[in-house]
């Protein structure tokens, strides 16, 4: 395994045809979760990946593990009895109604993980990169402890560590998020975040007010500040403009090696934007594991995640060839 | 009950996935009708509402009543035997094909309503507001008579009366619409309409030609002319620009108390625009029943109805909190 | 309100087309729960009913309340924040695989109900009958206490009390079920149960071994023993034979007034048997509230619940006329 | 064209997955109607057929005509404006709930057909057989007159005439059915009916009471009595036993040439029995037009219609080869 | 028959709801193929049309023929045994992912067509126009030979011949396409193409680089060059701008009679753009068969095909009235 | 890996809701194939399994591999370009219409496999059992050669070899099947078959005519004859009675060690019987790999495969616990 990720994956229930949860008479069932999504993106792009988690031994737990395996991810799960699987309901919006998520993940199997129960040495055996996001420590106090353990173990094992800030206001407050995560940053090599999460969690904001019309350059400062404060190898900031719900623009920058590396901006027609940030992380990791520089990496990760917006579900079900074609300037004509 | 409405509700059949009626192998089934839609919007926003109608005692009639109850509306229906339920087929378009409605409502139960059969005193007991639209008198000569009865009774009972002009060219001619409705205006306090319906039915148009690019100010004149001609307390005009079918802009003005009150303009991604006007009426009524001024009212009603465009079916399935958040400037990011 | 019931209702998710939960890519969404199902059956048959419960103020909580209202049930719910709605996954089987239920109802809103918080006097105002089942006390210790409260209050208010034993081995052990429920029996007038639940919970079994081919007469003894032990007005025992999953036979007996009253046996083609027992309770209550004797009552309740087997979802969506026609010997030809 | 039929076809709406109409959130859309079903069956089996009818020029009218053409039927339709298409809702049952039909066909286009408006000479040009059923005269007084016209014209043109009694209690009373149809019998060569319809409409019943367990022989008398009373070339009686809704047995007899010809009995698993009788008529007509005797004809028609029970929708979508294989004793193993 | 077309039609399988093929658990089934699509468009617009093809006698072959008949096309098919029906999987994209087609049409029935086996004299009997596209000769060497036969026969029979270049890179190389098709051009009266196909196949490109923002005038040169090189009566070039996948602009020009005739540009919201070019051809042919000039023809064909973009499936399921209304400047309001 | 299997897996397309292929407007997509089905059953029951095959590198090929991985099977596939994936259409019947399969698997990737291209030593590394069926050699001459290679290699590597006769009349004649397969039998340890396939392929039939009502004992002779003729360690014969399509009875015998071992007979309600034989093979292999005797093995394999009948798709999606519960006499009550 080149890549190891650690976190929760849930059954995701989404009403079909833009319906609201409340009116739904059926739900489409997907599986998703930040760190699993990253493992899936990496596996699809050709990097072997393992996902470490904890699931109940019931039909929903098996559904989650099976769909991870379906995409080629190595599933390293502690199976439990008496617990429940996390579930979330995702309602897709249309302007002026934003998409929204209703979490039903309290008391899920992974939230009850106990410190010292994961054999990290074994989980990391042969691996080169470890990825976790700010969702995992938000799940419970014990999950936060195990996250800290995992980061220490990863560094000890010589892995590169990436961390997606991924602030979830429905799981914890900004204050808690900061208190728990600032100490974790010392173990992190690459931080992936958005302008908004950085501002809310770490209180770092660009000096010019660039709200209405996103200007990539104004985020340089945010990225550089983060990089310095936490002595990070690199900081990636994804940039989204959403004047509408179903058409966004999407780009990213990386601050690394004293430079700002910029990706082009993509106009994306949004089928499902959940998981786009994770696809970005997956693309970034794959590119770095293939020894490409940050200029190419930010472009590769942005193209990968731009494609994700067109795919239903959390997973970035692309092929390597599709990403390469987009980078090469593919047209939007029907391919036939 | 604070609000009473009177009119037809139908089973609505819509082909899924933008299909045309002719090619459909299945239809999604909703329930809708102008005045029921208003009662639903009001109930969802916290105002108790009653819907007065007439339905056949069969599976379709029960479906209609049940879905009204589902949204918390008090159903005051005369159940009949031997009649049919109105049905309409709604085909959702995409530019350059407009959405279209095929009515199959002739000889429906409510079209056979007889003057003198509704106990309006009882229906209005405890109520403060009555709403009806121009669809009800268009259903049949007897329905037009009962509409007139209802307006007289409402004024007698001291209710505020709102009337949505709602011209339906598939039900009657503009000439008939004018002949029947002009005499009704004397009982109306608040008229809700569009520029187009006003022009077609009452022959009132703005003096400048503002067709191509809707200019809210140019409608001021229309609203003021109507207000004067029929000595109305207020006239609300909803404003829609539809250069495309699936993305519109939406706003409204109210002429009242010697002023024009304007709502902001919303870019709306159209999942289903049927019922947006009714959601506007519902929002307007709720706001007035809560004793807010016209400035706040036009903003509240417009925000409510802007949200409606994102919801499948005729009903405005929002929460009060969602309307308040939109008025407060909610972003289009995923809420999570 | 003639009838009041108290208990949990959940969102029910069922894979379509006989799929297994694990393989489902979509779930059909219903709402159900023993005591709500009883209230629905009664409302459909013409008896006004109220359902007392506790729900979270979110999209799932609203879905549950709305679907209860849809069927005409008066919803008396305490709305909470921070809780979750109970959910259950129901997988429909085919011989030799039984249908199965996966509960995800731990920590649901109603399980956290606190003794003393329901105003029973108000809930019972004007009512004549109270119904609860053995599921409610199984939800949590506090729910068990509130169940006891409710029974005391109901008797104090002069209501007839029915209790469906409804043993759920996935919620508690037989031993717990017995310890908690035996003291409750003193408040019960009519106990509704099955031979199996009686044996497991109260250790009462028929003396002859009638397992393989159900013989209604052999259950007389069970019913009479229960009636005597708990000094009940009546004991109803539903009788099911299921040599297959999709075709069962269904009947019932009532021991009351010194006699055994028997219903005919129906061959039922099982579309969805969940809720059949509740439909039986609903039919029984309606019949008694209409002052019919036990002979007619067991026949009416059995016919109602036989029809339930043909209807998807927990609710018994029949009309009074359909039950009467079945009692009158309706044929199985297409009605046209 | 070898065969001409005359009658109404409707859009048929059926809730999926055994749902009840009242609870449906979608309907599957089929097209069907007795005489069109017969034309379809004949066309599928290799006999050219034409269907004469009247339809509104709208999306539903076109849907009906298109689906007839899809099966190879020549559509000879008078297109009208301002009328509606007939619709019916078919709810599929499961024991003890019978399937049921809710007609919404009043005032349909064909019910307004005027005597003298069909050019029967042209419609029958080159044809050898004419078929109509007792549904057409039940639609309206004018439809009854045109039915009479059609029969006279058919005999004049030298066609063999078959008539399916097809009594529909939701369209007219038995008394009306008899009064209108007895005079039509003089033009009929082959009458197709069931024991029940014969008894209800013509008051002819078997002398022994063979209700509970259908005994084909007991229907001989019914068939013979009919044959004599109306001087018919042949009388076909289809025989159905339905102890359950989803498993029936199905057979038929023909009284002709002084003999009773019997088909074998088929156990049928009922996917959709609507249209089975029409498939029988289609098979009978095809067999006779191919000059086979009544012994072979009753077997061919019964096999064709036994297969129909397994096919969703009104149409008998079989191939000639499948009917021949069933007659030849095909097994129920998977064909692979 | 006024129009005859010749080519393959396939079963088309498309994942619902913008899913990718790889993740689909169901496929929507349509029927389509360039030349059949043209015949369907013509039939819908009122011109009688016949489609000549070759299909296997199995369920898929029948599905294809039936859906052609459904739209009123006369089906002149050689039925074969032992062959397969062509199938294609169409995946609908969203920016930046283009829609894509996976062909599974190798060794289909029509690809095995033998020269000399079609009775063209009979196929063309009474016809006035023949249409074929560059897909047919791309299917196989023998299909290319039969295409050449058909063109010779059509000219001999005095038909006007139209040819849609329709280059498919997944079927053959540009070099092969040119070698096979250049000799065919001598039989062609009207060539229909795009700028891109012309450039790729015939090496003819506009001199100014008009890529980014399509400028209709820059294509004049392409059209004129083609017209001269192959001595064509007319050359039609369809013009598409696709900055996004789901919103395009669409127009066309025709070079004929020494002039360039231009259609207006339509903003189209893309439900399904497959078949738009075929709808253009169908509209063009209908307009010419109705003896209208090229100015009107390019407008009619463009309006027809603009509407096609809003309709799921390959077929242009419009009515004549809808095309006329669009040409007349129909609004995008809901028609009701 | 304990188990290795070798063969084709296909995309399977099945019309929903008992529709016929010809009428379907959508297809449910599954993946299946005899040998993959066996690997899936084994993996589900706890035995590690590998599937050796050949697939095209396109969306359908990936779908097939992914769904194998989803169930935990190790996928050892040669990816090819320019080939197609096999597809089959499965139409589910109802009496008197049998289910039927339309293969579209000619020229599939695996049919073009070349002798010498599979590294069997590596594929079998660490394995204990090899399974293949009579479908693989039926695919093509080269596939037959590779099948022979695989059997030789398996025996050389010391694996136990099982072979399912699985005769497919749509792929080859009985004569061909015999000629190719008789020589293969020398490498086989355990032959799995049905009475019908044995009779058709090897001309071995029971002496008494036991057709109508299957009598397990009468198959003893068939099994013993096979065992002797080919010197097999064991012969398993599955026994199916299908008086109807949707309710069958299912059992099996094994002749081994001089005895006949019999399983009980299960009444099975058939949701999907395709793959039941493969589930039997999977159960048999698992039981033997766990060192159980033939008495237990035939019971375990029969229970596993009885459950398969209740599960949509080819795969036997059971858990070990469910099989054990059925063997332990689980009831058909709802588990809750």
């Amino acid at each position: 395994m080149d890549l190891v990720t650690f976190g929760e994956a849930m059954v995701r229930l989404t009403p079909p045809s833009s319906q609201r949860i409340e009116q739904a008479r059926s739900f489409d069932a997907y599986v998703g979760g930040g760190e699993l999504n990253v493992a899936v993106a990496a596996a699809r792009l050709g990097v072997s990946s393992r996902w470490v988690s904890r699931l109940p031994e019931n039909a929903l737990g098996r559904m989650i593990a099976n769909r991870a395996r379906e995409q080629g991810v190595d599933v390293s799960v502690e199976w439990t009895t008496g617990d429940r699987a996390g579930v979330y309901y995702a309602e897709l919006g249309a302007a002026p109604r934003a998409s929204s998520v209703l979490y039903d993940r309290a008391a899920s199997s992974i939230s009850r993980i106990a410190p010292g129960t994961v054999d990290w040495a074994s989980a990391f055996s042969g691996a080169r990169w470890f990825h976790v996001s700010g969702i995992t420590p938000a799940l419970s106090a014990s999950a936060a402890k195990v996250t800290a353990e995992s980061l220490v173990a990863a560094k000890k094992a010589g892995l590169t560590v990436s961390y997606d800030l991924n602030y979830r206001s429905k799981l914890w407050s900004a204050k808690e998020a900061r208190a728990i995560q600032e100490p974790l940053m010392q173990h992190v090599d690459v931080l992936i975040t958005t302008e908004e999460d950085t501002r809310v969690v770490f209180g770092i904001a660009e000096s010019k007010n660039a709200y209405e019309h996103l200007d990539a350059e104004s985020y340089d400062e945010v990225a550089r500040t983060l990089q310095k404060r936490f002595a990070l190898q690199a900081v990636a900031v994804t940039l989204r403009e959403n004047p509408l719900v179903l058409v966004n623009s999407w780009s990213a920058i990386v601050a690394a090696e004293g430079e700002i590396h910029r990706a082009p901006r993509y106009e994306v027609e949004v089928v499902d934007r959940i998981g786009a940030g994770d696809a970005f992380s997956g693309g970034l990791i794959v590119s770095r594991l293939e020894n490409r520089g940050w200029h190419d990496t930010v472009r590769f990760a942005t193209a990968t995640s731009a494609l994700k917006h067109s795919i239903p579900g959390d997973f970035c079900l692309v092929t390597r060839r599709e990403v390469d074609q987009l980078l090469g300037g593919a047209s939007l004509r029907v391919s036939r």
Side-chain angles (χ1 to χ4, degrees), chain A:
Chain A
M1 293 303 134
D2 287 312
L3 168 66
V4 177
T5 77
F6 167 54
E8 179 168 34
M10 295 167 281
V11 172
R12 164 180 156 184
L13 298 172
T14 292
S17 308
S18 300
Q19 286 182 92
R20 307 216 62 182
I21 292 168
E22 191 180 331
Q23 75 184 137
R25 258 60 182 174
S26 74
F27 291 98
D28 292 330
Y30 297 94
V31 162
E35 295 83 0
L36 174 56
N37 299 347
V38 173
V40 164
R44 301 264 334 173
L45 295 169
V47 157
S48 62
S49 67
R50 168 177 293 144
W51 171 62
V52 176
S53 195
R54 202 164 180 269
L55 286 173
E57 172 46 56
N58 64 24
L60 298 180
R62 287 195 298 274
M63 181 193 283
I64 292 168
N66 289 357
R67 296 229 200 159
R69 293 196 299 202
E70 185 183 358
Q71 299 307 328
V73 172
D74 180 74
V75 170
S76 176
V77 159
E78 181 188 2
W79 292 98
T80 74
T81 56
D83 284 319
R84 62 185 296 269
V87 176
Y88 81 101
Y89 297 80
E91 185 177 85
L92 304 179
R97 178 169 63 81
S99 295
S100 179
V101 156
L102 173 63
Y103 285 132
D104 187 13
R105 66 200 297 183
S108 67
S109 200
I110 196 176
S111 75
R112 296 177 169 176
I113 195 169
T117 56
V118 181
D119 178 354
W120 290 110
S122 159
F124 290 146
S125 164
R128 298 193 284 148
W129 194 291
F130 178 59
H131 176 86
V132 70
S133 92
I135 297 170
T136 310
L139 296 175
S140 68
S142 63
K145 280 183 196 144
V146 180
T147 306
E149 276 180 16
S150 72
L151 292 168
V152 170
K155 290 316 298 177
K156 190 174 159 197
L159 280 64
T160 303
V161 169
S162 55
Y163 193 96
D164 181 346
L165 198 56
N166 249 346
Y167 176 61
R168 294 289 179 266
S169 67
K170 292 181 177 175
L171 295 181
W172 57 359
S173 69
K175 198 176 158 190
E176 291 168 306
R178 183 174 193 161
I180 296 290
Q181 290 179 106
E182 274 192 347
L184 302 181
M185 288 301 112
Q186 63 184 300
H187 312 295
V188 172
D189 299 296
V190 180
L191 181 66
I192 300 158
T193 184
T194 63
E195 177 280 328
E196 189 184 17
D197 284 1
T198 307
R199 182 168 36 78
V200 173
V201 176
F202 291 132
I204 298 170
E206 73 278 23
S207 53
K208 3 179 200 167
N209 191 322
Y211 260 120
E212 285 307 302
H213 292 283
L214 259 182
D215 177 357
E217 295 181 26
S218 66
Y219 294 114
D220 298 3
E221 198 179 324
V222 172
R224 286 201 193 97
T225 309
L226 273 170
Q227 200 190 356
K228 277 176 210 156
R229 186 182 300 176
F230 298 120
L232 299 159
Q233 178 195 328
V235 172
V237 181
T238 57
L239 310 171
R240 179 188 300 281
E241 276 187 85
N242 44 192
L244 293 171
V245 169
L246 301 174
V247 186
N248 288 185
S249 78
W250 175 254
S251 190
I253 57 168
V254 168
E257 300 165 354
E259 272 185 89
I260 298 292
H261 307 274
R262 299 180 205 289
R265 179 171 301 185
Y266 292 95
E267 288 302 297
V268 294
E269 291 172 313
V270 181
V271 170
D272 191 335
R273 56 171 274 192
I274 300 175
D278 304 321
F280 179 87
S281 297
L284 180 150
I285 293 165
V286 165
S287 181
R288 293 298 291 175
L289 282 173
E290 293 175 356
N291 300 315
R292 271 177 289 164
W294 284 108
H295 172 76
D296 287 350
T297 291
V298 72
R299 294 171 63 87
F300 185 84
T302 304
T304 300
S305 50
L307 287 167
K308 166 60 196 73
H309 291 81
S310 72
I311 300 166
D314 281 47
F315 293 168
C316 184
L317 302 177
V318 296
T319 61
R320 181 62 175 260
R321 199 166 153 241
E322 288 168 338
V323 176
D324 290 341
Q325 284 174 330
L326 181 56
L327 285 167
S331 93
L332 293 181
R333 295 188 169 253
V334 178
S335 162
R336 58 186 172 184

